[in-house]
Amino acid sequence: MPVARPETSDSRIIAHVDMDCFYVQVEQRKQPHLKGQPTAVVQYNSWKGGGLIAVGYEARKDGVKRSMRGDEAKKVCPQIHLVQVPVARGKADLTIYRNAGSEVVSILARKGRCERASIDEVYLDLTDAAETMLKETPLETLESIDEEVLKSHVLGLSLNGNDDRETVREWLTRRDADHRDKLLACGAIIVAELRLQVLRETEFTCSAGVAHNKMLAKLASGMNKPAQQTIVTLASVKGLLEPLPIKKMKQLGGKLGSSLQTDLGVNTVGDLLQFSEQKLQDIYGANTGTWLWNTARGISGDEVEGRLLPKSHGSGKTFPGVRALKTLAAVEKWLKELCEELSERLQLDLETNKRVAHTLTLHANAYKSTDTDSLKKFPSKSCPLRYGAGKVLEDSVNLFQAALREFLGSYTNPVDGGWGVTNLSVSASKIVAAPSGTCSITRYFHGQDRFHASSEQSDKKFAPESDNLSPSRTESHSASHQTECEGGQTQITSDTFSLDQYETACKDEAIESCSTSKQHEPQLRLSEKERNINDGKRSYEQKRKATQEKGTSSILRFLQTNSCSSSNQETKCLPSEGVQEALDMGSESQNKRRTDSWRYNAGEIDQSVVNELPAEIQEEVRTWLRPQKQANTVKRGSSIAHYFSPNKNKQTNLRKS
Ligand code: TTP
């Protein structure tokens, strides 16, 4: 649902930068002989020459379109070079494009707040940079202005066709210009310079829109492509928006846009101007009504989020026509590929950016063979994300089964036959910074020989993680897992995931760099099942007793004794975030793969145990313990703070008494 945010200021300078025919440029840089040649990138599926996903501008001149397949493109443009998307695990591997996008982002981020919006799009907030420039260099005093700036398209500026660059120069350097236009002029100079830097350092061209908000900047960036920039002055906004088809506006391509068309007869943004804010609120509610009213006037308060990294990671594949997956085994086989890829990227994100994801979501498109309800969508399902390819796979399979049951309207576990899956994807979202302190804790445990030496016994508690699906997964396990997934932490969406959406999601995925190493997979259990809390507490009591018996001479021993047996699914452990992550990452050095999670509870930690740690570790552990003193305002199971909360300890004590 769109959110109506009031414009914070109409003096902001926002740019939207969009790479030109991005995948083609990446391929042309890789194979320089393709530069200047008509080129397109085709999907992995080679049917009829493969579907085109990116078309170079030379090929576009010859009439090649993205909607074509390779064979058709060859007919239209016989000299076209078709380059296939790299393939890994039997599916498209977008790593080189993501990495190329990261190169560009790192350059664009030099001048202001930068938001990576997709694999090849970036928003920049250049307000501060523009204001500084204006203060330091009054525009009317500028002696030389780069050609790239003079090539800008200034919306609303009438050109006489004789010397457009001179007209633009005059506009840029007007002494009597409105302050906001002067800032826009500075924005145009900054963006042109950034685009030149991108070209010099990466060989890629890009186009840009410069405006007072994100919505207008985005609309403008695509208006003059390739390798050009467009400036939206305040005076030009009405003229820009009025003729635009309503369905082309962001967030209006779906049901809301259709409703405007059918219910209100609104086909262009101009049509929407006739409706008062009150009227739109009456029909669509206060928030959406205001958002529509604002949108029609080019008002948008959306801020550029300072984010250079992707919001989520996803891995998916389509199975069109006869390729549809019709058995659980086939689905599991592909989920294994997808989950491995997702896991590698999560692992890389953790190592490179120190970020952890919290939610795993499974999306699919499916049909029923005997379809009486062909429009029923395959539900998307989510659950807390557990790190490790095997765990991601296990959870994904369970999510798929839960979704398939719901899709088929069945209460029993689904069987083969009667259904087919045409699209499958897994994604990881709610990505946040890993808790601070993790690094030095990790370093500490890396150096702990005694941890290694004394771990023989406790290592037995860690069954080696299998990347294969467990054939012995029991009905009760599946069922209970689904209960969890359908509980408070599960989001069930009714979105069907189309090919386009998948591709957009792929575009939205982005990652800094890629490595294929997956030998050390930290087994982070970021949250756990409430249904296990009682068992966990019982288990905790036993472990605590054992610890007391042995004494509390080492936090390592303490924590080891709190590990749970993975062989017993019924006694799963309490959730444990910060320390568990630290420990799990610490265990990387052992090059051992562990399936189970550490169980950890602040209340269990004896001060004398903490005192045994080196000074810097003590400080970090105490930082973790501090939340015990805070009120329990955090949703159960959502954060480490919950497990440190006094209420929780109180409950434990009550239960004990
Ligand atoms: P776009 O920015 O939509 O297009 P483009 O960069 O190829 O061309 P333009 O100059 O018109 O902006 O997409 C960026 C890349 O994302 C594109 O090069 C290929 C990929 N992509 C897909 O894989 N599938 C899709 O459906 C679309 C639209 C893009």
Side-chain angles (χ1 to χ4, degrees):
M1 205 213 292
V3 179
R5 290 196 181 87
E7 190 88 71
T8 45
S9 151
D10 59 5
S11 303
R12 288 186 301 155
I13 299 301
I14 310 293
H16 179 254
V17 180
D18 186 18
M19 305 309 292
D20 302 316
C21 56
F22 188 47
Y23 289 13
V24 170
Q25 287 205 77
V26 174
E27 295 298 341
Q28 286 175 329
R29 183 175 71 170
K30 208 165 83 185
Q31 305 178 58
H33 70 277
L34 294 179
K35 283 194 179 171
Q37 302 288 320
T39 308
V41 176
V42 293
Q43 263 293 14
Y44 166 57
N45 165 12
S46 58
W47 181 68
K48 290 192 177 176
L52 268 53
I53 53 172
V55 182
Y57 282 83
E58 293 84 0
R60 292 188 203 191
K61 275 189 213 143
D62 289 340
V64 179
K65 296 199 165 55
R66 181 148 47 197
S67 53
M68 293 176 176
R69 299 202 75 87
D71 291 352
E72 198 183 348
K74 282 226 172 233
K75 273 190 204 139
V76 178
C77 174
Q79 66 280 23
I80 194 168
H81 297 269
L82 298 175
V83 184
Q84 200 189 54
V85 163
V87 174
R89 297 196 173 89
K91 59 185 279 301
D93 178 6
L94 307 180
T95 309
I96 54 163
Y97 310 122
R98 284 192 206 103
N99 292 348
S102 300
E103 287 178 51
V104 174
V105 170
S106 66
I107 297 165
L108 293 175
R110 289 171 188 165
K111 287 287 180 184
R113 195 161 63 239
C114 174
E115 174 183 330
R116 189 170 189 174
S118 80
I119 201 163
D120 78 331
E121 279 173 287
V122 163
Y123 287 101
L124 302 172
D125 187 332
L126 300 171
T127 312
D128 291 345
E131 275 170 357
T132 307
M133 177 186 268
L134 194 57
K135 263 187 222 140
E136 289 172 359
T137 325
L139 291 166
E140 55 274 17
T141 64
L142 279 183
E143 280 172 11
S144 72
I145 300 179
D146 195 280
E147 274 295 294
E148 201 53 46
V149 189
L150 297 178
K151 273 168 43 196
S152 300
H153 300 260
V154 184
L155 296 185
L157 184 66
S158 43
L159 302 172
N160 56 23
N162 291 337
D163 193 349
D164 293 350
R165 289 183 193 185
E166 197 45 44
T167 314
V168 172
R169 181 195 301 278
E170 280 165 21
W171 182 84
L172 290 165
T173 56
R174 278 178 311 158
R175 190 182 294 273
D176 60 348
D178 180 285
H179 179 70
R180 292 164 299 187
D181 277 359
K182 285 189 178 182
L183 287 174
L184 277 180
C186 293
I189 293 170
I190 296 165
V191 170
E193 173 56 25
L194 284 171
R195 289 180 39 242
L196 283 172
Q197 286 178 19
V198 169
L199 182 62
R200 276 195 295 270
E201 295 176 37
T202 68
E203 301 176 32
F204 301 143
T205 68
C206 54
S207 299
V210 185
H212 291 301
N213 66 42
K214 283 171 90 173
M215 174 175 71
L216 297 170
K218 164 108 181 160
L219 280 174
S221 65
M223 291 179 76
N224 295 287
K225 274 192 151 242
Q228 296 171 78
Q229 59 185 47
T230 305
I231 301 161
V232 188
T233 60
L234 271 184
S236 70
V237 172
K238 194 160 184 273
L240 165 69
L241 291 178
E242 266 184 358
L244 290 180
I246 200 78
K247 296 277 274 185
K248 291 270 173 216
M249 298 296 289
K250 202 173 170 198
Q251 311 219 51
L252 290 178
K255 284 183 192 159
L256 183 55
S258 301
S259 162
L260 286 168
Q261 284 181 317
T262 51
D263 302 329
L264 301 185
V266 168
N267 290 310
T268 64
V269 178
D271 296 340
L272 193 55
L273 285 171
Q274 299 155 17
F275 294 87
S276 69
E277 185 174 2
Q278 185 61 55
K279 177 82 183 162
L280 292 169
Q281 286 186 337
D282 290 347
I283 302 169
Y284 294 108
N287 174 57
T288 304
T290 297
W291 180 82
L292 285 169
W293 192 88
N294 285 346
T295 299
R297 287 155 185 81
I299 299 168
S300 164
D302 286 353
E303 294 285 349
V304 173
E305 291 168 29
R307 176 165 50 77
L308 307 187
L309 299 170
K311 249 180 170 167
S312 62
H313 298 291
S315 176
K317 184 168 169 68
T318 53
F319 307 94
V322 291
R323 274 191 278 269
L325 308 177
K326 294 177 186 142
T327 64
L328 288 168
V331 169
E332 290 182 5
K333 172 188 170 293
W334 277 107
L335 278 178
K336 183 170 183 290
E337 302 291 343
L338 302 179
C339 291
E340 279 180 2
E341 189 199 339
L342 182 66
S343 254
E344 279 182 15
R345 288 169 54 197
L346 286 168
Q347 175 66 15
L348 187 70
D349 202 355
L350 178 64
E351 283 165 8
T352 314
N353 309 311
K354 308 280 177 279
R355 301 196 309 162
V356 288
H358 285 260
T359 301
L360 173 71
T361 304
L362 178 126
H363 308 274
N365 279 358
Y367 63 81
K368 286 181 241 174
S369 316
T370 50
D371 212 347
T372 47
D373 182 11
S374 61
L375 291 178
K376 187 165 177 192
K377 288 172 178 166
F378 195 90
S380 295
K381 294 232 171 233
S382 302
C383 70
L385 191 148
R386 300 186 297 151
Y387 272 62
K391 287 177 179 171
V392 174
L393 174 60
E394 183 184 336
D395 292 344
S396 297
V397 168
N398 286 323
L399 289 176
F400 176 80
Q401 294 205 349
L404 183 59
R405 262 205 309 273
E406 194 175 313
F407 180 66
L408 298 175
S410 144
Y411 292 102
T412 56
N413 263 1
V415 290
D416 295 346
W419 51 269
V421 169
T422 55
N423 184 302
L424 197 57
S425 78
V426 284
S427 64
S429 58
K430 295 207 181 138
I431 303 181
V432 297
S436 65
T438 301
C439 293
S440 47
I441 291 273
T442 306
R443 273 199 305 278
Y444 176 68
F445 283 108
H446 270 254
Q448 290 301 307
D449 286 344
R450 59 188 172 140
F451 180 65
H452 300 214
S454 66
S455 63
E456 196 191 332
Q457 184 63 32
S458 25
D459 275 351
K460 288 181 185 154
K461 293 170 183 166
F462 300 105
E465 183 185 1
S466 166
D467 276 351
N468 298 319
L469 273 175
S470 159
S472 60
R473 202 173 48 247
T474 60
E475 170 65 31
S476 68
H477 177 193
S478 304
S480 57
H481 189 96
Q482 283 143 13
T483 309
E484 173 213 8
C485 291
E486 285 161 12
Q489 288 172 312
T490 305
Q491 306 145 9
I492 301 175
T493 68
S494 57
D495 285 344
T496 302
F497 209 63
S498 69
L499 174 57
D500 272 359
Q501 282 170 310
Y502 159 59
E503 286 172 334
T504 309
C506 287
K507 283 180 67 186
D508 285 348
E509 297 156 18
I511 195 162
E512 289 302 327
S513 61
C514 197
S515 117
T516 49
S517 163
K518 68 192 262 308
Q519 52 185 337
H520 307 305
E521 289 181 332
Q523 308 299 311
L524 310 185
R525 184 179 293 277
L526 300 175
S527 67
E528 250 305 348
K529 302 168 185 173
E530 291 211 357
R531 71 182 169 79
N532 291 318
I533 283 177
N534 290 341
D535 289 337
K537 281 177 180 163
R538 266 198 300 280
S539 167
Y540 153 62
E541 281 307 308
Q542 287 158 6
K543 301 282 161 58
R544 198 170 70 103
K545 222 170 149 196
T547 306
Q548 279 170 347
E549 278 161 15
K550 285 182 197 158
T552 52
S553 61
S554 160
I555 193 168
L556 298 173
R557 194 179 308 144
F558 172 82
L559 290 164
Q560 283 168 19
T561 57
N562 278 289
S563 63
C564 306
S565 165
S566 65
S567 60
N568 183 358
Q569 293 286 350
E570 295 312 312
T571 53
K572 279 199 175 156
C573 315
L574 282 171
S576 56
E577 297 188 354
V579 164
Q580 178 187 304
E581 281 170 22
L583 291 168
D584 282 331
M585 284 199 287
S587 70
E588 282 178 48
S589 65
Q590 301 166 77
N591 195 14
K592 283 181 181 157
R593 309 176 83 202
R594 297 174 163 175
T595 57
D596 219 332
S597 63
W598 293 88
R599 184 163 69 87
Y600 169 77
N601 187 330
E604 301 165 30
I605 296 205
D606 186 318
Q607 280 306 310
S608 62
V609 176
V610 178
N611 292 342
E612 282 185 34
L613 294 163
E616 85 266 20
I617 303 294
Q618 284 184 28
E619 186 49 37
E620 282 168 17
V621 171
R622 291 206 171 94
T623 308
W624 290 343
L625 301 183
R626 240 164 254 144
Q628 286 186 84
K629 295 180 187 119
Q630 292 166 6
N632 182 17
T633 52
V634 184
K635 206 174 83 188
R636 175 176 275 270
S638 66
S639 149
I640 193 166
H642 162 69
Y643 298 101
F644 289 167
S645 74
N647 289 354
K648 180 172 182 292
N649 294 332
K650 238 184 255 163
Q651 280 165 14
T652 311
N653 292 336
L654 279 177
R655 208 170 296 242
K656 272 190 271 173
S657 61

